[in-house]
Amino acid sequence: MEIKRAYKFRFYPTFEQETILAQTFGCARFVYNRMLRVRSDAWYTEKKRIGYHATSSLLTELKKEPEFEWLNKVSSVPVQQSLRHLQAAFGNFFAKRAKYPSFKSKHEKQ
């Protein structure tokens, strides 16, 4: 019989770590909301579905624009993961396990 254990740790970040975490959360939230808007607009205007690979390539193009160069200052892993979360949210919606994906707020749990 295999016994699984879990440990819970409290994290006390320094000021620099708090800044990096806030930037990372902000970038991930921005990308999630932006791609949700792109996917919703494409469906309601053209009845066109946009999947994960299309949003990933849109993210690459977005990072190249000078207006959004701040997206390159954080790790790309959490930003890409936000696209995967959006894809999972749409998958759950189409499988009728959840409501339509909603926009993320700065004031919600991070």
Side-chain angles (χ1 to χ4, degrees), residues 65-97:
E65 293 182 20
E67 183 181 352
F68 301 108
E69 66 184 16
W70 47 271
L71 287 171
N72 294 317
K73 293 184 179 179
V74 299
S75 174
S76 63
V77 176
V79 176
Q80 281 290 70
Q81 188 63 37
S82 69
L83 292 180
R84 289 187 199 98
H85 288 171
L86 181 61
Q87 182 66 27
F90 270 104
N92 289 332
F93 170 70
F94 290 127
K96 300 191 185 319
R97 290 188 297 259

Side-chain angles (χ1 to χ4, degrees), residues 15-51:
F15 179 74
E16 294 83 20
Q17 290 170 333
E18 282 182 3
T19 305
I20 292 170
L21 284 172
Q23 289 173 345
T24 304
F25 290 144
C27 289
R29 182 178 56 252
F30 172 78
V31 167
Y32 183 94
N33 289 339
R34 177 91 175 205
M35 295 307 162
L36 177 57
R37 171 59 57 206
V38 166
R39 289 178 75 158
S40 297
D41 289 347
W43 175 254
Y44 288 119
T45 59
E46 306 167 12
K47 297 291 184 203
K48 178 181 169 188
R49 280 192 177 183
I50 296 179

Side-chain angles (χ1 to χ4, degrees), residues 8-14 17-18 21:
K8 216 181 226 188
F9 293 97
R10 176 79 176 143
F11 178 56
Y12 297 100
T14 63
Q17 290 170 333
E18 282 182 3
L21 284 172

